[in-house]
Amino acid sequence: MSVKVEELVREEHPMEKLLRMDRIPHIWCPTCGLGTTVTALAAALEQLELDLDNVAVVSGIGCTGRVAGYMKLDSFHTTHGRAIPFALGLHIARPDLKVIVFSGDGDLISIGGNHLIHTARRNVDLTVICVNNFIYAMTGGQVAPTTPITARSATSPYGNYEHPFNLPLLAASSGAVYVARWTALHVRRLTTAIKEAITKPGFSFVEVIAPCSTLYARLNKLGSGLDLMKFYHDNSVIRHGADLKEVDIDYQSKIAVGKFIDIEKPTYIDCMNEGGKRAFGDKYKPYGGGNGGN
Amino acid sequence: MKADPKNVLTGSHYLDGNYACAEGAIAAGCKFFGGYPITPSTEIAERVSQRFPLLGGVFIQMEDELASMASILGSSWGGVKSMSCTSGPGFSLMMENFGLGIMLETPCVLVNVQRGGPSTGLPTLPGQADMMQARWGSHGDYEVIALAPDSPQESFELVIHAFNLSEKYRMPVLVMTDECVGHMTEKVVIPPAEEIELLERKYTDKKPGEALPFEPTSDGVSPMIPIGKGHKFHITGLTHDYRGYPVINAETQEKNVRRLIDKVNMHADEIIWLEEKDVEDAEVVIMAYGISSRVIQPAVAKARKEGIKIGQIKMVTVWPFPEKRVRELAGKVKSLIMVEMNYGQVFLEMDRCAAGKCRTYLVGHAGGTVHNAVDVYNTIKEAVK
Ligand code: SF4
């Protein structure tokens, strides 16, 4: 069966509804893991059939921090590490919106680490998608709090010797109600996880293991971004509900993936309303967001 | 628009400056407060946390000042009037996201109850040494608006005014009080709600797809874009064009930064608020702001009694600096004096604008207490020679 070329050429980009086409091409390198991660977010939003007017995305700084700029949603590119507290303010002002934080490991875990743990502790109804490429990419490949021991970076030229964070354990022990990890090549499973995270009331955390082709792969001589993406995928072991103490990632080791945590807990606003009722009885009106009717 | 009576504690009260700031914010319709405890500003947060639950507002004690400032920007973009307060080291930590607020042109109010610095300095004692930090504390070029109340009554009024200015000029506005004003308890008269005029945010009337977050306008202030209405706008702390998209080149930088500067400078005459007394025929004019404008009164009264032609200017707004007025006066008077609890911060601006046309004097010290009236008096005697 022969197919005419014209039939293959599509007028529109399949994600046109969700991308700012006036900003494409993006700045990301070829075979960077960010592309498929954004695809998973877009697919999740489409499949959830949400009213896209009611979805906002907030990013910090870094390669992943640029995601907010490419999504055709109300979108905020904030300061380094502060995407979560900015998103917290936005969410409290407008609890009717779905607020998604999309940022990288350096941004969310290092400079923004304090905000991550406290916002998880409060169980604020946010979805945090953390793309972990094990390195500071935007600034040129420096060591991150996620860099595995022995991996090289621009500032660990002889191999990293610091213990990295185990992100699912960090998020879960801080209070997140939904925690999952997938690699950038698990597009379908990642999409499902993002859908579940968005739907889940409370603080959800999805870690995405993604290759940084230009820096991490090159500095560690791990082949192309595609090779590394395949490596992560092929070396992942699905372990839903795993003991999170055992999901550390060693250098080029097996990677435990799956849905680790999915529990019910009152959200920050639920707790605030509960506290209000406890203190004031019927005089307290449950918080509904906005300017409080003014 | 008038204040909502629900939010206004109309009547005569005995309040300290910090509580008065909180009441001002509540009267102005503030419904989100992200704060972090720090002496001597904490009572503002405490009062808000006590008053908000029955008024439909949210007080949240954030994990640090970085988060406090970021959270009020987020809530402001969510359409809610938002505020934070801090002191000393907390002000330094807030500078990062204060800059984001300036760059995203986000209305909000930040109160700094100044204490002695640098570093941890004097947590429980006053200072006015954050004035240049207020002006230049975040990196980059921009203009700010800063108000300096001298009493609990003014704290109440100026916080409301700060909210109005922040909405009008679409930017964070600073209220630079100090430990003395913050902890001084005096009579505060809160008027009926219908006497409190509030300025509401100007939103674009353009349709999604047509509205730009930083659209050029004749008055230099772009209307805001509401969230959740299908505009699907983007804003960034990077240098951006009218669409809010990052554009990293010198030309866009020029337009972006000029807008931040011009929107304040264009309206400087309207924003600047000076209270002048006996300035017309003065040979010496003494300038001060905040608590220092009250502390100088005995010395000024004694000098006038002795026949010295001294006038005074209380700066209700410190930034933008009243450049025009100081230049005018410098051509007429023998001397200008600045009294402030620091070693010459706003003095530098006064001296610059005097441009050698008159003598300039600083009555300054490192903070920890207000000025000794004798020092002020002695400087007046010197200045009139
Ligand atoms: S530097 Fe690395 S993380 Fe950044 S876009 Fe390139 S490949 Fe992706």
Side-chain angles (χ1 to χ4, degrees):
Chain A
M1 192 180 75
S2 70
V3 181
K4 287 198 189 115
V5 174
E6 300 84 80
E7 289 172 25
L8 290 172
V9 176
R10 294 180 57 159
E11 284 288 306
E12 31 171 82
H13 187 285
M15 280 160 58
E16 188 162 311
K17 221 172 105 200
L18 272 148
L19 290 183
R20 294 183 194 279
M21 296 310 291
D22 52 350
R23 293 211 56 209
I24 304 293
H26 55 67
I27 62 162
W28 297 317
C29 313
T31 75
C32 171
L34 279 164
T36 54
T37 314
V38 171
T39 305
L41 171 63
L45 291 173
E46 284 213 307
Q47 290 171 23
L48 283 174
E49 294 180 6
L50 293 173
D51 177 355
L52 296 177
D53 290 2
N54 293 332
V55 181
V57 57
V58 184
S59 289
I61 298 295
C63 288
T64 318
R66 292 302 188 97
V67 167
Y70 296 125
M71 301 303 295
K72 204 196 274 175
L73 297 166
D74 289 339
S75 62
F76 302 86
H77 183 220
T78 63
T79 38
H80 197 17
R82 319 297 168 221
I84 289 180
F86 188 101
L88 174 147
L90 196 59
H91 160 69
I92 291 178
R94 290 294 304 270
D96 55 318
L97 305 180
K98 292 279 183 196
V99 181
I100 299 166
V101 174
F102 202 123
S103 222
D105 50 311
D107 187 72
L108 291 168
I109 311 302
S110 186
I111 188 166
N114 199 30
H115 312 311
L116 176 91
I117 60 174
H118 283 276
T119 311
R121 170 180 66 79
R122 300 180 216 267
N123 199 23
V124 179
D125 188 10
L126 296 174
T127 297
V128 175
I129 300 169
C130 174
V131 178
N132 182 2
N133 51 23
F134 306 118
I135 207 159
Y136 277 85
M138 179 69 91
T139 46
Q142 295 79 18
V143 71
T146 45
T147 308
I149 290 184
T150 72
R152 285 168 198 270
S153 76
T155 48
S156 61
Y158 312 112
N160 175 42
Y161 45 77
E162 289 185 16
H163 299 292
F165 263 128
N166 167 341
L167 304 192
L169 178 62
L170 177 69
S173 54
S174 304
V177 289
Y178 182 95
V179 180
R181 178 200 273 160
W182 295 102
T183 79
L185 213 51
H186 287 99
V187 181
R188 202 170 40 82
R189 291 178 189 274
L190 177 58
T191 303
T192 304
I194 295 175
K195 280 190 329 198
E196 289 176 347
I198 292 173
T199 315
K200 184 92 195 171
F203 191 88
S204 311
F205 183 85
V206 179
E207 179 185 9
V208 187
I209 306 298
C212 163
S213 46
T214 302
L215 296 157
Y216 190 76
R218 193 169 50 80
L219 289 165
N220 289 289
K221 302 190 171 51
L222 297 172
S224 71
L226 209 53
D227 293 335
L228 194 52
M229 195 167 335
K230 279 210 191 95
F231 177 88
Y232 291 152
H233 181 266
D234 296 348
N235 282 280
S236 60
V237 187
I238 297 179
R239 290 177 56 206
H240 296 301
D243 177 351
L244 290 181
K245 288 196 202 80
E246 291 167 6
V247 306
D248 286 285
I249 301 176
D250 294 326
Y251 183 61
Q252 296 299 91
S253 69
K254 294 279 177 207
I255 298 171
V257 294
K259 175 158 70 172
F260 300 134
I261 302 281
D262 190 356
I263 56 169
E264 309 299 319
K265 209 164 72 175
T267 65
Y268 173 77
I269 290 180
D270 293 339
C271 294
M272 179 172 71
N273 285 333
E274 203 46 51
K277 261 186 263 154
R278 224 165 25 232
F280 302 103
D282 290 343
K283 275 210 302 197
Y284 179 81
K285 276 209 306 240
Y287 176 71
N291 271 314
N294 294 315
Chain B
M1 170 182 163
K2 308 289 179 200
D4 181 338
K6 268 206 317 280
N7 298 331
V8 183
L9 270 190
T10 303
S12 277
H13 306 268
Y14 199 47
L15 292 179
D16 74 13
N18 283 345
Y19 278 8
C21 281
E23 288 305 327
I26 294 165
C30 172
K31 293 289 179 200
F32 182 85
F33 189 109
Y36 187 81
I38 190 162
T39 306
S41 70
T42 313
E43 295 83 3
I44 302 177
E46 288 173 356
R47 177 87 172 195
V48 169
S49 74
Q50 197 192 328
R51 296 263 287 129
F52 262 6
L54 293 180
L55 297 173
V58 176
F59 165 83
I60 180 165
Q61 185 170 308
M62 296 301 288
E63 52 275 15
D64 56 33
E65 287 90 345
L66 304 157
S68 302
M69 191 67 214
S71 73
I72 70 171
L73 300 180
S75 60
S76 180
W77 276 96
V80 171
K81 286 190 179 177
S82 305
M83 180 169 112
S84 191
C85 71
T86 193
S87 299
F91 196 53
S92 297
L93 288 175
M94 286 188 177
M95 284 296 115
E96 176 199 44
N97 290 299
F98 181 77
L100 182 66
I102 291 282
M103 195 63 157
L104 300 182
E105 302 185 47
T106 308
C108 58
V109 172
L110 173 57
V111 179
N112 177 0
V113 186
Q114 294 175 87
R115 66 194 221 183
S119 189
T120 316
L122 301 170
T124 56
L125 298 175
Q128 289 182 314
D130 302 349
M131 297 311 297
M132 274 297 174
Q133 189 179 17
R135 176 65 189 87
W136 297 111
S138 202
H139 54 281
D141 258 334
Y142 55 92
E143 290 287 332
V144 290
I145 300 176
L147 309 165
D150 71 355
S151 62
Q153 181 69 42
E154 250 191 26
S155 297
F156 172 81
E157 289 162 8
L158 292 188
V159 168
I160 296 173
H161 187 55
F163 270 101
N164 285 344
L165 290 170
S166 80
E167 295 295 345
K168 184 164 186 188
Y169 298 110
R170 197 186 145 177
M171 61 191 287
V173 171
L174 295 166
V175 178
M176 301 294 289
T177 156
D178 64 79
E179 189 276 332
C180 278
V181 172
H183 288 160
M184 153 199 298
T185 301
E186 286 185 337
K187 184 169 155 183
V188 175
V189 180
I190 298 184
E194 68 266 22
E195 287 172 24
I196 298 175
E197 198 61 49
L198 300 180
L199 276 181
E200 287 313 290
R201 185 169 300 184
K202 211 165 116 202
Y203 281 112
T204 181
D205 46 18
K206 296 206 168 141
K207 287 199 287 289
E210 290 168 14
L212 304 172
F214 303 101
E215 184 180 315
T217 55
S218 55
D219 72 349
V221 186
S222 319
M224 274 183 89
I225 297 197
I227 193 172
K229 295 259 191 268
H231 288 280
K232 305 200 167 88
F233 62 92
H234 179 62
I235 53 169
T236 172
L238 287 166
T239 294
H240 46 261
D241 61 15
Y242 303 134
R243 296 172 302 173
Y245 289 3
V247 181
I248 308 303
N249 61 36
E251 192 192 333
T252 313
Q253 169 76 353
E254 189 62 29
K255 281 191 190 144
N256 191 159
V257 174
R258 283 291 350 162
R259 188 177 58 252
L260 303 178
I261 292 176
D262 289 347
K263 76 173 172 184
V264 176
N265 285 346
M266 261 166 85
H267 302 281
D269 289 343
E270 209 179 305
I271 298 166
I272 290 169
W273 178 356
L274 304 176
E275 286 177 8
E276 301 194 357
K277 204 175 157 202
D278 307 318
V279 171
E280 277 326 304
D281 63 342
E283 287 186 325
V284 175
V285 171
I286 188 164
M287 300 180 74
Y289 54 90
I291 191 64
S292 302
S293 64
R294 292 176 74 176
V295 170
I296 63 174
Q297 294 312 318
V300 172
K302 181 169 160 59
R304 284 199 71 84
K305 221 167 159 188
E306 290 168 9
I308 296 176
K309 286 188 170 171
I310 181 162
Q312 48 178 314
I313 297 182
K314 182 178 108 167
M315 304 169 74
V316 180
T317 51
V318 176
W319 308 121
F321 187 75
E323 183 150 347
K324 234 198 276 173
R325 185 63 179 137
V326 172
R327 284 190 198 286
E328 249 166 45
L329 287 172
K332 294 186 192 162
V333 299
K334 278 190 190 161
S335 308
L336 288 169
I337 304 171
M338 177 65 68
V339 184
E340 52 182 345
M341 272 187 279
N342 60 52
Y343 266 115
Q345 295 194 3
V346 183
F347 167 78
L348 287 178
E349 279 294 86
M350 186 190 79
D351 185 62
R352 176 179 69 82
C353 297
K357 291 203 196 111
C358 70
R359 281 178 285 145
T360 57
Y361 292 86
L362 165 71
V363 189
H365 64 72
T369 178
V370 295
H371 287 85
N372 187 331
V374 176
D375 295 338
V376 179
Y377 174 77
N378 289 342
T379 307
I380 295 171
K381 293 288 275 183
E382 183 65 31
V384 80
K385 275 186 196 156

